[in-house]
Amino acid sequence: MEKTAAGYTYGTSQIATSPFSLENLKLLQQSMLFNDDDIKYLQMSYDILKDQTNAILDVWYGFVGSTPQLVYFFGNKSTGEPEGDYLAKVRARFELWILQTAEANYNQDWLNYQYEIGLRHYTIKKNKTDNATAVPIVNYRYIPALTIPVTATLKPFLASKGANVDDVEKMYNAWLKTVLLQTILWGQPYMKEGEF
Amino acid sequence: MEKTAAGYTYGTSQIATSPFSLENLKLLQQSMLFNDDDIKYLQMSYDILKDQTNAILDVWYGFVGSTPQLVYFFGNKSTGEPEGDYLAKVRARFELWILQTAEANYNQDWLNYQYEIGLRHYTIKKNKTDNATAVPIVNYRYIPALTIPVTATLKPFLASKGANVDDVEKMYNAWLKTVLLQTILWGQPYMKEGEF
């Protein structure tokens, strides 16, 4: 992936090693029926999605923006007004997240970055990357919940480039699994060691 | 629902009021695109599933039983051997959970029981209902993860009674949303107040 964005520290020395191991990642993936076929179909989605990321983000941001309990997390901690600069900076990284997810390269860098994303939703790093002054935490319940709108609204984009119905279904299912997997991993900072 | 099972305290005075409000439940459901149609399709699934619960549980227990990192949570805390009596008692309640989920009645009793289920996965009540001597907690990451195998394996059962393809898809999607919703709610005891 050649693109980058402010604060997108994937694969750099600026982020810590995930306390979650690659071995445990495999066991978690198994329990989600996530297999090599899912990797294949995620990678198939890369070329389909790469020129549609802006349109996808318009839909996702449209949904977040029109759902007060979600846009709340981008709101200034005093006034509650959504912070435009914060929204824009997250959006730029969100685009890379789409591409990275489609690359489906589940290595140590990937795992470390999941932990970093978790920290950025939690009190530990919320707002810091973007010097935002928004509310101090994303309540965890909303994170795995977003698996549904993210993947449901992605399906038409997966279908828009002529892939056959069966492949679209398999790409969608692979996306469903990996988004849920990632949102689960982002929960680690919210829980005590040994309970996550 | 007329059936019952040991420890199935849904709707009784034996369980506490959920610290999560019905108002917050609605906001969470909105963020998952869960709407009245989903309730309709869950309720449509009731008659389809009600005579298939044993066969469904055979599939689910087969999966858990053949996945060491999952059956682990039913394992004796000293020997690691799966506790048969514990497995059987949970299974009897799991059947009622299928029916209750298909009833899709999101009232205060339902919400209270979600909290109770969460406590039974967490250190606070794990093992207690069944006098089990298994490991003291279900690691949270595996709980929302099971949304995938539970719903993926349910789909053939939804399709097995002649419903049309479109209705099967809609029932499956409603199940996907509600299972994820429930597993999110079960996470509340794992997190600090204000972070869940």
Side-chain angles (χ1 to χ4, degrees), chain B:
Chain B
M1 206 168 59
E2 286 145 38
K3 292 183 179 182
T4 192
Y8 195 75
T9 52
Y10 188 108
T12 72
S13 59
Q14 293 171 49
I15 58 173
T17 302
S18 169
F20 196 65
S21 70
L22 283 170
E23 202 176 350
N24 272 325
L25 175 64
K26 272 219 171 84
L27 295 173
L28 185 57
Q29 287 175 318
Q30 270 176 15
S31 79
M32 302 176 78
L33 308 174
F34 187 95
N35 57 36
D36 289 346
D37 260 6
D38 292 303
I39 291 177
K40 184 181 103 181
Y41 284 101
L42 285 168
Q43 291 174 346
M44 182 188 286
S45 80
Y46 188 95
D47 282 342
I48 294 172
L49 299 176
K50 69 175 186 218
D51 299 325
Q52 301 190 84
T53 50
N54 251 312
I56 294 165
L57 286 162
D58 281 348
V59 172
W60 290 350
Y61 265 58
F63 178 68
V64 169
S66 64
T67 308
Q69 61 272 42
L70 296 177
V71 78
Y72 167 80
F73 299 113
F74 291 98
N76 181 274
K77 65 184 168 190
S78 308
T79 66
E81 283 299 305
E83 301 199 332
D85 186 57
Y86 183 30
L87 278 156
K89 284 177 171 162
V90 170
R91 180 173 166 138
R93 291 193 299 273
F94 219 149
E95 184 187 5
L96 303 186
W97 176 83
I98 296 172
L99 299 173
Q100 200 81 62
T101 298
E103 283 186 352
N105 192 355
Y106 296 94
N107 58 19
Q108 188 66 48
D109 280 340
W110 183 89
L111 197 57
N112 295 346
Y113 201 61
Q114 302 313 310
Y115 188 60
E116 175 71 11
I117 294 175
L119 294 172
R120 292 180 186 186
H121 287 75
Y122 191 60
T123 48
I124 295 175
K125 283 204 167 182
K126 175 83 159 62
N127 301 315
K128 294 209 172 128
T129 308
D130 304 310
N131 295 310
T133 46
V135 296
I137 189 170
V138 179
N139 287 88
Y140 183 69
R141 65 187 183 272
Y142 283 112
I143 301 177
L146 286 179
T147 301
I148 301 295
V150 160
T151 54
T153 58
L154 191 70
K155 211 171 181 177
F157 292 101
L158 293 168
S160 71
K161 300 273 186 176
N164 71 52
V165 174
D166 188 54
D167 283 348
V168 170
E169 194 59 31
K170 285 173 175 160
M171 286 188 282
Y172 161 76
N173 261 304
W175 267 90
L176 176 67
K177 292 181 202 176
T178 192
V179 175
L180 181 55
L181 171 67
Q182 293 183 52
T183 61
I184 289 170
L185 294 176
W186 301 346
Q188 181 155 17
Y190 292 76
M191 286 169 248
K192 289 190 203 139
E193 212 188 318
E195 299 191 351
F196 167 68

